[in-house]
Amino acid sequence: MTTLTKKVLNIGKLFKNVDNYTKRLSSHFNYYPDSEKPVEGETSKMNMMQAINNAMDLTLKNDPSAVLFGEDVGFGGVFRCALGLQEKYGKDRVFNTPLCEQGIAGFGIGLATAGATAIAEIQFADYIFPAFDQLVNEAAKYRYRSGGQFDCGGLTVRAPCGAVGHGGLYHSQSPEAFFAHAAGLKVVVPRGPNAAKGLLLACIQERDPCIFLEPKILYRSAAEEVPVESFTLPIGKAQILREGDAATLIGWGTQVHVLLEVAQLAQEQLGANCEVIDLMSILPWDQETVFNSVKKTGRCLVAHEAPLTCGFGAELAAAIQEECFLHLEAPVRRAAGWDAPFPHVFEALYLPARARCLDDLTQLLRY
Amino acid sequence: MALKSGVCFLRLNRLNQVARLLSTSSRPEIIQNGGNNADFPGAKAPYVTEMKFLDENSYDPIPIYRVLDNDGQVIDSREEPAIDKDTLLNMYKTMVQLNQMDKVLYESQRQGRISFYMTNYGEEGIHVGSAAALSPKDLVFAQYREVGVLLYRGMTITELINQCYGNHEDPGKGRHMPVHYGSKQRNIVTISSPLATQMPQAVGAAYAYKRIPNNDRCVICYFGEGAASEGDAHAAFNFAATLECPVIMFCRNNGYAISTPTNEQYRGDGIAGRGPALGLHTVRVDGTDTLAVYRAVQHARELALDNKPVLIEAMSYRVGHHSTSDDSTAYRPLEEIQKWTQAENPIQKLRLYLESKGLWDAEAEKTYAKEARNLVVRTMQEAEKKKKPHWKEMLEDVYYDMPPHLQKQMQQMEKHLEKYKDHYPMDLFQKE
């Protein structure tokens, strides 16, 4: 087995604090910007859309084989993540495809098979399912089935995911667990601009096909200082955002900010100091960081927007009980979306927001 | 798919064609806008004032291009491709070799020596005709019934049989079912079972080639007429056209998808009928005529390298069963199979052509067929004796690097095998 040495500037820096400064973005969470730079050097204030745009800009600049495509990408994309890139790099590198997700995924796999860097955009993660066959049966298994002769490691599929306040059934979904079951894929979810830039660049450079799920509610309003140069964050590594000893709170994407607020409330109201982990990579996930934390705290709450049953929290809970059984003071709890389609007018009641997570955490601490 | 013209008199003997003629003669007349196109962005078309639906009878069926007749004679000498003697013989021998391999491996599956097999009977001409017209640098995406392409590209009988046995010399490391071949060296992308998935992939690969300065490579993608019903086929045709990719989409229309005949697969004019509708350069050829296939692909390659994607539909008949898991007499008459085994046999047609040129005779046929068969039998005996890959190959290549959770699972299996190896056929596999 060969070991790939990646240019990971930040590898030793997995412990990370976030500012106490927060900004109310929607009814269900406050945004906690990163307080530390992931790498040294010049920074610029970017929201998550700009950080993603910047990552793709740097890729197109440095990798002549790289192309960016999807529905409405040519004019900058419906979330503006590709803004200005077609003007800068030309229509053969940043272009619209016909409206067909299975085509976009298959086309991207082909590009990567022929050695190009393919950055495909699926307009909403809710519409990735027509591409499920291409991603799960093809992309995930390409290297394995050919005995390593062919691969599509140059493929990254970006898709906006998660709740947005009013997205209803098909503009709100978090499909990460569907893909977590597909050996061969890497699945990554950032929590803000710095993570988005570092992880997206890592996905693009990764030698395996990656699905990069971007919580769309963070695109415009989540802003922080982001290094202007290229940098990567390691795939498969979680970050501890807040250290504590009372319980481990694990989330990803927007939910990380919910848990950071819950940890703050638990400190104020219960005097409990909780550890908050941003899992960042769903597949492969950072077992070491999670197990070490739970062995220390003895209690664990996993929270995600996706429905409870067979959500990725189930995998975490099962693995934690298997590895940390003697350290657990209480059963692992899961705060998740209800086992219903994502509703429109009931969104506030559907999400595992602040109050539900705090309620679950309180019960966990009093067990 | 030319709009119906006035050349229908040849087909007046058939009622449906009379109906077509009548329907066409009443095609609505363009009287508005001075015959100019309307300004809608979605189509370049004039207005008409007569409401009239078009249907599959509104167009002439796309004719089937052929060079040879059933006796192996060139019909129109202007269409005879200039193929040198050695290439012609190589093409023919590849067909015979493939045919012999199919016979032996089909039998070996029946005897339980390999788990699965699919023959290529009746479609050998499609394989070698197209492969010979391509450059070895062109990338091939195949469905599964194109083994003649692989053989013509230089894949050896040994490589193919090693794959069917999944032994340690199989570059696929025994992970895939038999007939799922692939060869990086020969630019043949590893075959996968899900139908039509290779089609948009081929288009993407072609797009990558197009972006390489002075590109001299195209991509060819083979698929059956059944696979063409998948959504991925539609995606591929449309992406190929709109993104102007150097790709040849090659359909083998052999009349059946397992048991499903084409009239349950589609109601339009075959697969070729869809090509012009999606903006593809399209031709339909006689797939039992190796020279017609050669000519079509030769021209298609020129178009493709000019970034004009092409659709070729090669008409043929699936002479063999769908696979070793299928008995095709359950859904089609024996006489039908026999007709295509005899009069319309691609191997026979090319043999008669070679014989008429004095390049081949009965004696050569007998000697070569025997040689080809012996090679397969010998190779199979060798392949059978070879060990399967080491069990650890089961968990390699899932990712470029093995992630920690998979390393853990490998250790788990290792410990398990230390205790329980007697429960597994360990002697089949290579040791450390």
Side-chain angles (χ1 to χ4, degrees):
Chain A
M1 201 174 34
T2 50
T3 306
L4 175 68
T5 45
K6 275 192 234 86
K7 194 184 163 199
V8 180
L9 298 170
N10 189 43
I11 195 137
K13 211 169 183 182
L14 298 176
F15 287 79
K16 183 180 251 306
N17 291 307
V18 286
D19 273 347
N20 281 329
Y21 160 78
T22 62
K23 190 164 95 180
R24 179 71 67 187
L25 288 186
S26 79
S27 58
H28 96 275
F29 76 103
N30 292 334
Y31 184 70
Y32 288 72
D34 280 7
S35 61
E36 271 181 55
K37 295 190 283 186
V39 287
E40 291 310 310
E42 192 195 333
T43 62
S44 169
K45 186 142 186 175
M46 297 184 201
N47 60 29
M48 198 171 82
M49 174 270 275
Q50 290 164 327
I52 289 165
N53 181 280
N54 178 244
M56 298 196 294
D57 191 352
L58 289 166
T59 302
L60 289 161
K61 191 172 100 184
N62 298 326
D63 176 356
S65 83
V67 290
L68 174 58
F69 55 93
E71 295 158 12
D72 305 300
V73 165
F75 89 117
V78 295
F79 289 107
R80 317 311 284 145
C81 289
L83 197 65
L85 297 179
Q86 189 179 65
E87 289 79 6
K88 209 164 165 184
Y89 297 102
K91 283 187 173 176
D92 73 317
R93 300 194 64 195
V94 180
F95 51 92
N96 290 337
T97 65
L99 204 164
C100 179
E101 286 76 14
Q102 64 196 102
I104 293 169
F107 182 82
I109 292 169
L111 275 162
T113 303
T117 299
I119 310 170
E121 179 179 305
I122 300 291
Q123 203 159 72
F124 286 85
D126 310 67
Y127 307 128
I128 205 166
F129 300 111
F132 201 71
D133 183 40
Q134 284 286 355
L135 295 171
V136 172
N137 270 334
E138 295 291 318
K141 299 169 174 60
Y142 232 87
R143 185 192 306 280
Y144 186 77
R145 72 185 183 208
S146 70
Q149 293 188 91
F150 292 93
D151 68 81
C152 58
L155 174 68
T156 301
V157 179
R158 297 176 38 240
C161 73
V164 70
H166 49 267
L169 279 77
Y170 305 112
H171 299 83
S172 310
Q173 291 181 60
S174 298
E176 65 272 10
F178 287 105
F179 294 105
H181 201 52
L185 292 179
K186 294 198 168 172
V187 183
V188 175
V189 190
R191 68 163 182 280
N194 270 311
K197 181 173 175 180
L199 288 171
L200 180 55
L201 283 168
C203 282
I204 291 167
Q205 290 163 28
E206 182 59 65
R207 304 185 73 157
D208 295 305
C210 296
I211 296 180
F212 191 72
L213 297 170
E214 302 165 359
K216 68 181 89 65
I217 201 167
L218 303 175
Y219 273 141
R220 292 197 160 267
S221 30
E224 62 202 15
E225 289 294 324
V226 178
V228 293
E229 291 302 316
S230 190
F231 70 95
T232 58
L233 292 171
I235 296 171
K237 293 275 179 242
Q239 285 185 344
I240 297 172
L241 300 182
R242 178 187 168 117
E243 290 194 67
D245 54 15
T248 301
L249 313 183
I250 307 172
W252 51 90
T254 317
Q255 195 66 25
V256 166
H257 303 288
V258 175
L259 293 178
L260 283 167
E261 189 176 353
V262 168
Q264 208 172 308
L265 293 171
Q267 181 85 71
E268 290 160 14
Q269 297 175 11
L270 311 167
N273 192 16
C274 293
E275 185 143 306
V276 177
I277 294 179
D278 178 1
L279 196 63
M280 296 167 95
S281 292
I282 305 299
L283 183 69
W285 61 281
D286 187 350
Q287 300 193 336
E288 200 187 354
T289 301
V290 167
F291 295 156
N292 286 343
S293 174
V294 178
K295 281 176 186 169
K296 179 176 72 175
T297 63
R299 293 169 207 266
C300 180
L301 172 71
V302 185
H304 53 68
E305 291 181 8
L308 178 78
T309 301
C310 287
F312 197 65
E315 176 61 31
L316 288 170
I320 288 167
Q321 73 81 19
E322 212 174 328
E323 288 294 324
C324 313
F325 188 70
L326 294 177
H327 301 267
L328 285 173
E329 305 287 341
V332 179
R333 279 192 84 96
R334 291 177 289 155
W338 304 117
D339 285 340
F342 199 108
H344 187 220
V345 302
F346 308 114
E347 177 166 321
L349 296 152
Y350 177 85
L351 285 172
R354 188 168 53 244
R356 262 180 62 201
C357 290
L358 185 62
D359 190 9
D360 279 359
L361 176 61
T362 309
Q363 293 180 47
L364 187 67
L365 292 171
R366 289 179 181 158
Y367 187 83
Chain B
M1 198 154 57
L3 266 174
K4 184 127 180 94
S5 61
V7 291
C8 302
F9 57 90
L10 287 172
R11 290 168 285 125
L12 285 172
N13 54 337
R14 284 178 57 186
L15 200 64
N16 64 336
Q17 283 158 348
V18 175
R20 285 179 177 204
L21 186 66
L22 291 173
S23 72
T24 306
S25 67
S26 62
R27 205 167 66 206
E29 293 214 356
I30 295 157
I31 54 166
Q32 278 207 339
N33 220 25
N36 293 329
N37 288 338
D39 288 332
F40 299 108
K44 290 188 182 66
Y47 291 108
V48 293
T49 54
E50 185 192 347
M51 210 297 291
K52 189 161 166 33
F53 289 107
L54 302 181
D55 60 24
E56 77 276 16
N57 296 320
S58 304
Y59 300 90
D60 279 335
I62 294 172
I64 302 162
Y65 171 71
R66 67 193 317 205
V67 173
L68 296 176
D69 64 18
N70 285 1
D71 300 324
Q73 298 303 304
V74 174
I75 301 161
D76 179 344
S77 58
R78 290 168 302 181
E79 296 294 318
E80 183 177 3
I83 307 176
D84 65 70
K85 178 186 154 214
D86 289 344
T87 306
L88 273 174
L89 281 175
N90 186 23
M91 288 166 73
Y92 182 70
K93 284 179 171 177
T94 303
M95 289 163 81
V96 175
Q97 178 69 77
L98 172 61
N99 191 251
Q100 291 297 330
M101 183 177 80
D102 277 351
K103 283 176 184 161
V104 178
L105 287 187
Y106 183 83
E107 281 311 312
S108 83
Q109 193 281 336
R110 300 280 93 176
Q111 297 160 9
R113 294 164 75 180
I114 56 175
S115 62
F116 178 79
Y117 196 68
M118 300 176 107
T119 62
N120 301 273
Y121 302 142
E123 300 181 49
E124 298 92 341
I126 288 173
H127 305 177
V128 302
S130 58
L134 295 167
S135 154
K137 287 189 291 185
D138 296 336
L139 190 63
V140 174
F141 283 81
Q143 177 167 305
Y144 50 65
R145 209 184 300 282
E146 294 91 0
V147 184
V149 177
L150 283 59
L151 273 175
Y152 191 86
R153 279 281 175 111
M155 272 189 88
T156 61
I157 294 291
T158 311
E159 287 174 280
L160 298 175
I161 290 180
N162 283 340
Q163 196 282 328
C164 290
Y165 278 93
N167 64 35
H168 72 269
E169 286 181 16
D170 166 25
K173 302 179 185 171
R175 294 171 184 147
H176 231 339
M177 274 173 88
V179 313
H180 291 60
Y181 311 111
S183 170
K184 180 85 180 172
Q185 194 194 338
R186 274 56 169 256
N187 295 310
I188 296 157
V189 179
T190 302
I191 290 162
S192 75
S193 312
L195 287 180
T197 47
Q198 81 279 18
M199 297 175 71
Q201 293 171 14
V203 177
Y207 192 88
Y209 282 178
K210 170 179 152 173
R211 289 203 57 246
I212 296 168
N214 306 315
N215 173 45
D216 62 350
R217 283 182 294 183
C218 74
V219 176
I220 189 162
C221 176
Y222 297 91
F223 55 98
E225 89 287 348
S229 295
E230 293 282 1
D232 277 328
H234 183 268
F237 294 159
N238 205 22
F239 278 54
T242 57
L243 298 168
E244 296 168 353
C245 297
V247 66
I248 302 169
M249 306 302 295
F250 194 113
C251 178
R252 298 176 292 96
N253 189 335
N254 62 18
Y256 289 92
I258 305 187
S259 74
T260 307
T262 52
N263 73 338
E264 292 172 23
Q265 199 63 250
Y266 54 74
R267 287 297 167 93
D269 180 23
I271 309 307
R274 302 172 199 173
L278 285 153
L280 298 169
H281 290 69
T282 301
V283 70
R284 174 178 277 157
V285 299
D286 179 354
T288 69
D289 176 350
T290 308
L291 299 188
V293 174
Y294 179 90
R295 285 275 287 173
V297 174
Q298 191 184 34
H299 284 262
R301 190 170 189 276
E302 285 167 22
L303 283 167
L305 289 179
D306 205 17
N307 297 327
K308 292 177 174 133
V310 178
L311 172 63
I312 298 175
E313 182 182 29
M315 308 310 292
S316 67
Y317 186 86
R318 195 195 76 212
V319 173
H321 301 304
H322 164 69
S323 73
T324 48
S325 311
D326 171 51
D327 173 12
S328 64
T329 57
Y331 50 81
R332 60 181 187 179
L334 267 174
E335 306 80 66
E336 183 185 290
I337 303 173
Q338 269 153 13
K339 169 183 170 346
W340 292 94
T341 318
Q342 288 147 17
E344 300 278 0
N345 182 321
I347 301 182
Q348 175 174 283
K349 277 189 203 177
L350 191 63
R351 192 185 72 231
L352 294 171
Y353 173 74
L354 292 179
E355 284 179 1
S356 73
K357 298 203 129 207
L359 297 174
W360 198 253
D361 57 32
E363 186 56 32
E365 177 74 18
K366 209 176 142 191
T367 316
Y368 186 73
K370 199 176 164 194
E371 203 180 298
R373 185 186 168 82
N374 287 344
L375 174 63
V376 177
V377 173
R378 212 169 48 236
T379 308
M380 227 177 61
Q381 287 162 347
E382 286 162 15
E384 226 161 15
K385 285 182 217 144
K386 288 171 192 156
K387 296 271 189 200
K388 311 286 180 212
H390 192 282
W391 71 264
K392 284 186 176 172
E393 287 294 352
M394 175 172 72
L395 299 180
E396 295 283 355
D397 297 325
V398 179
Y399 294 94
Y400 180 81
D401 282 323
M402 189 178 284
H405 71 282
L406 263 180
Q407 292 177 28
K408 216 153 113 182
Q409 289 173 22
M410 190 182 267
Q411 286 159 11
Q412 212 179 327
M413 187 62 187
E414 200 160 20
K415 274 189 193 151
H416 170 72
L417 285 176
E418 277 168 23
K419 285 187 201 158
Y420 289 90
K421 60 177 176 299
D422 295 347
H423 293 254
Y424 298 94
M426 295 312 289
D427 54 333
L428 292 181
F429 302 100
Q430 279 192 312
K431 306 265 180 288
E432 289 295 346

